[in-house]
Amino acid sequence: MNRWMKNGILYGGIIGLALGLLLSKYTMTSYKDEFTIITYLSVYDYAVAVLRYGAIGVLIGMFVAWRKNKAADDGPKTYYGEVFLGVLFLSCGIAALSYLFE
């Protein structure tokens, strides 16, 4: 594996874990009559939610590094990778916003 791929995987994992820490919910709210009941997730459930973001970050970082390395080797640049990443980030952003404001 070349240096581009290793750096892409490393940075993608770090950014994914950081986003997971920021975006993962650690409480569950339920309502019963006039009371609001707040329960906290177990550490295992929270860790799995954070690691899910980390795994997605690793895959995105690996894809970006692969495209950057391929573009350097092939020559003329196409924009398929950028369009794919734009749609991916847009759909992830919409999903995150809908998850936060449910």
Side-chain angles (χ1 to χ4, degrees):
M1 211 182 305
N2 63 8
R3 183 177 54 91
W4 285 96
M5 292 292 283
K6 288 180 185 176
N7 287 341
I9 290 171
L10 178 69
Y11 295 141
I14 291 171
I15 291 171
L17 287 175
L19 285 175
L21 288 172
L22 290 174
L23 297 177
S24 294
K25 286 191 173 184
Y26 58 90
T27 60
M28 293 178 62
T29 306
S30 59
Y31 302 100
K32 189 166 191 171
D33 295 331
E34 298 173 359
F35 300 105
T36 302
I37 301 169
I38 299 173
T39 56
Y40 292 95
L41 293 175
S42 66
V43 174
Y44 176 76
D45 292 335
Y46 182 69
V48 167
V50 170
L51 287 176
R52 187 180 313 133
Y53 280 99
I56 291 170
V58 165
L59 292 175
I60 290 172
M62 187 171 60
F63 179 76
V64 169
W66 172 71
R67 287 294 298 166
K68 185 168 246 178
N69 190 25
K70 185 178 179 200
D73 291 343
D74 287 349
K77 183 173 176 75
T78 61
Y79 293 98
Y80 295 118
E82 287 79 3
V83 170
F84 172 77
L85 284 176
V87 170
L88 180 71
F89 286 137
L90 184 65
S91 62
C92 287
I94 290 171
L97 286 175
S98 68
Y99 180 73
L100 288 174
F101 296 116
E102 59 181 32

